[in-house]
Amino acid sequence: MESNGAMYRSLSDSDLAFEHETNFDSSSDSCFSCLSSSDERSSEIRPRAGSCPPVQKLDVPSSCDLLEKISSRFPGLRSNEKYKSKVVWKSLHPSWLEQFDLHLYDDQEQILEVTVWDKDKQTKDDFLGRCTIDLSTLEREKTHNIWQDLEDGNGQIFLLLTISGTTQSETITDLTSYKENPRDIEIIERRYAWYRLNEHSSGVGWLCVKVYGAKGLAAADLGGKSDPFCVLELGNARLQTHTEYKTLTPNWMKIFTFTVKDITSILEITVYDEDHDHKVEFLGKLAIPLLNIRNGEKRWFALKDKKMRARAKGNYPQILLEMTVIWNPLKAAIRVINPKEPKYMHLESKFKRQLFIRNVMRLKAIIMWFIEVGKILQDCFEWESRLRSFLGLLAWLAFCYYYEMWMLPFLLLVFFSRNWLIYRLTGGNPLLLPVDDEDLLAEEDDEEEVDKEEKKSLKERLQAIQEVTQTVQNAIGYVASLGEAVKNLMNFTVPCLSYLAILMLFGAMLVLYVIPLRYLLMAWGVNKFTRKILRPHTIPNNEVLDLLSRVPDDEILLDCRELKPHPANEARRDARKKHKAA
């Protein structure tokens, strides 16, 4: 959690909950009945500490090391559950970035207590403040961003809190017999119609995810089974299913709904194995861009490993999903040229030699492109090809004589037109098409060889590694991501964003053609100098960079690349391995 503590929660089982239509009473009754059953499935709270914007600051008397303690008091059936965060040393604005899972019983007191302490090594810890949250007043199956004042101290604490994972008796659980009400869908479609720009809805769209079940999961328990549950994350919103015990083919049969705040977001679906000590074991993951969703299509998706490059462990693990996304194109276009909402639980990458090398190679690919363009220009200057050099000279003279500022976006539009033709003729970006395991064998073998070399030469290169800092690694990664975003924007990797960029360039061309450049510069300067006076609370932004931040780089495209859910051809795989060995 950044600048304060943040609680996150996760329990799930939701209706087609069309905003503000959740029945809390039925949820409570069903949770109690679930608790009394033999498998003892219960609701959980998943408090999660997430990084938060620096809106408020903790006003603590002196520089101190903060310690967050989170407890949920449920007298009766079980003793109080308490969790303690890590210590953030020497800070008045700590960022814990931690998640805690607590059980919630609807027939017990539903008060969550958070206390903040100053950690002392020699003496007793100093109490800084506390706050309490009545969970019974919070809407279920929804992530709440909460700024809570500390009652007995100064400052505030920021929490992400969700109540999810419930097994309510009156919730839709049998999706095979469930029939959608067309009127409900019509209401959603009217709410997010393109001409409704003044609506007070918090987002640009609506997402419905039906999670049917999974198969082929890896066995995480000693008995050859697992206790799987599924977690869905969209931005800072996080929901989860209940746990299916002792099975490798769970049938969750749940429906989840999300408010879409940014249509360029990526839905992350992760399957975990639940353990009795509140720890979880990873079983598989899937990343799906919202713009790639085909409404109403029910199909199997292959689960990937933690690195999102290969298939997860198990017998070709898959998850059965059906998704529908409805969004307002105009509101979505306005949103993508505004600053992107930060993901509070996003952790900055620590220094890793392999990651550093990969970022360097990504940056090298961009630099090599510029070098190749420079070589072509140099060849024109050297007159190695007289025809090309002569045509280049004529083009340069014509450019210098006729050039005006409006021609710059026009030239970019020419590049967009070329890439659009390639995009239409080839049928899309190959990175977004499903691939088979055989196509990844060579990549996996190369990674294994690199890992072996790293282990052998680790001691020899330790001194060199120490000279490279995490800041340099992340800076190189940022530059590489920016360059790849420009490339993918031009290549129609995300057609919606590419078309928006074309409209922006076309508008810029018209403005530059009609209005002299000096007047535009004057207007820009007046806007910059008077912004703080006329609009003191606006967030400064750069529309171009904000648009590029929505374009996925090559690493994200690889994360989202789908694997074929069905088993590969064994004969083809054996032949590939023999060829590799030879």
Side-chain angles (χ1 to χ4, degrees), residues 151-276:
E151 297 174 2
D152 303 321
N154 296 320
Q156 291 181 316
I157 194 167
F158 180 69
L159 311 173
L160 292 176
L161 193 144
T162 312
I163 301 177
S164 185
T166 57
T167 53
Q168 306 128 316
S169 58
E170 296 185 14
T171 306
I172 302 170
T173 56
D174 187 6
L175 291 179
T176 57
S177 61
Y178 166 72
K179 294 183 179 180
E180 290 185 353
N181 186 352
R183 179 173 176 77
D184 293 333
I185 299 297
E186 291 177 2
I187 294 174
I188 298 292
E189 291 177 346
R190 285 200 300 268
R191 182 184 303 159
Y192 293 105
W194 65 270
Y195 53 85
R196 291 182 177 265
L197 299 179
N198 297 324
E199 292 292 321
H200 298 292
S201 56
S202 58
V204 301
W206 173 84
L207 171 66
C208 175
V209 183
K210 298 179 182 178
V211 183
Y212 291 89
K215 64 180 180 180
L217 300 178
D221 299 335
L222 295 178
K225 299 293 184 180
S226 295
D227 304 324
F229 66 94
C230 181
V231 175
L232 294 83
E233 294 184 76
L234 182 67
N236 292 312
R238 183 180 190 273
L239 300 174
Q240 81 171 52
T241 68
H242 65 280
T243 303
E244 290 280 322
Y245 293 93
K246 305 300 180 184
T247 180
L248 300 181
T249 57
N251 290 306
W252 294 296
M253 308 299 288
K254 303 300 177 189
I255 299 179
F256 300 93
T257 59
F258 294 88
T259 297
V260 178
K261 297 182 179 180
D262 194 331
I263 195 60
T264 60
S265 301
I266 296 176
L267 175 66
E268 296 180 359
I269 301 176
T270 313
V271 180
Y272 295 100
D273 170 68
E274 180 186 282
D275 290 330
H276 297 293

Side-chain angles (χ1 to χ4, degrees), residues 10 35 72 143 194 208 304 311 331 385 387 399 407 424 479 493 500:
S10 204
L35 176 64
S72 186
T143 300
W194 65 270
C208 175
K304 300 169 123 180
R311 196 180 299 274
K331 291 182 70 174
S385 173
L387 178 60
F399 173 79
M407 294 181 181
R424 298 298 295 179
V479 175
T493 301
L500 178 60

Side-chain angles (χ1 to χ4, degrees), residues 285-286 300-304 311 317-319 562-565:
K285 189 174 182 180
L286 177 66
W300 291 95
F301 292 84
L303 294 173
K304 300 169 123 180
R311 196 180 299 274
Q318 308 169 40
I319 186 170
E562 294 183 16
L563 299 176
K564 291 183 178 179

Side-chain angles (χ1 to χ4, degrees), residues 42-234:
S42 63
S43 309
E44 293 181 4
I45 289 191
R46 291 187 182 274
R48 192 168 64 154
S51 64
C52 60
V55 177
Q56 310 260 5
K57 296 183 179 180
L58 278 175
D59 184 13
V60 187
S62 62
S63 177
C64 58
D65 310 321
L66 295 182
L67 180 68
E68 176 195 25
K69 295 181 179 178
I70 299 177
S71 63
S72 186
R73 298 181 174 181
F74 305 124
L77 292 175
R78 293 190 183 184
S79 59
N80 295 350
E81 293 185 73
K82 295 184 179 181
Y83 292 89
K84 182 187 295 184
S85 75
K86 64 183 178 182
V87 179
V88 179
W89 301 99
K90 304 299 180 185
S91 174
L92 298 181
H93 317 296
S95 175
W96 286 286
L97 289 172
E98 292 192 63
Q99 174 178 315
F100 304 93
D101 302 341
L102 299 95
H103 293 88
L104 175 65
Y105 303 99
D106 288 338
D107 63 332
Q108 303 298 320
E109 183 183 7
Q110 299 186 23
I111 301 297
L112 182 72
E113 181 184 85
V114 183
T115 58
V116 183
W117 301 74
D118 171 50
K119 179 68 174 178
D120 291 326
K121 295 181 179 179
Q122 304 298 332
T123 60
K124 188 178 179 180
D125 297 341
D126 298 324
F127 179 78
L128 296 179
R130 67 185 289 274
C131 68
T132 58
I133 301 174
D134 187 357
L135 302 177
S136 62
T137 62
L138 298 179
E139 182 180 350
R140 311 243 170 149
E141 307 304 336
K142 179 180 178 181
T143 300
H144 303 273
N145 298 358
I146 300 176
W147 276 100
Q148 194 75 13
D149 293 321
L150 298 178
E151 297 174 2
D152 303 321
N154 296 320
Q156 291 181 316
I157 194 167
F158 180 69
L159 311 173
L160 292 176
L161 193 144
T162 312
I163 301 177
S164 185
T166 57
T167 53
Q168 306 128 316
S169 58
E170 296 185 14
T171 306
I172 302 170
T173 56
D174 187 6
L175 291 179
T176 57
S177 61
Y178 166 72
K179 294 183 179 180
E180 290 185 353
N181 186 352
R183 179 173 176 77
D184 293 333
I185 299 297
E186 291 177 2
I187 294 174
I188 298 292
E189 291 177 346
R190 285 200 300 268
R191 182 184 303 159
Y192 293 105
W194 65 270
Y195 53 85
R196 291 182 177 265
L197 299 179
N198 297 324
E199 292 292 321
H200 298 292
S201 56
S202 58
V204 301
W206 173 84
L207 171 66
C208 175
V209 183
K210 298 179 182 178
V211 183
Y212 291 89
K215 64 180 180 180
L217 300 178
D221 299 335
L222 295 178
K225 299 293 184 180
S226 295
D227 304 324
F229 66 94
C230 181
V231 175
L232 294 83
E233 294 184 76
L234 182 67

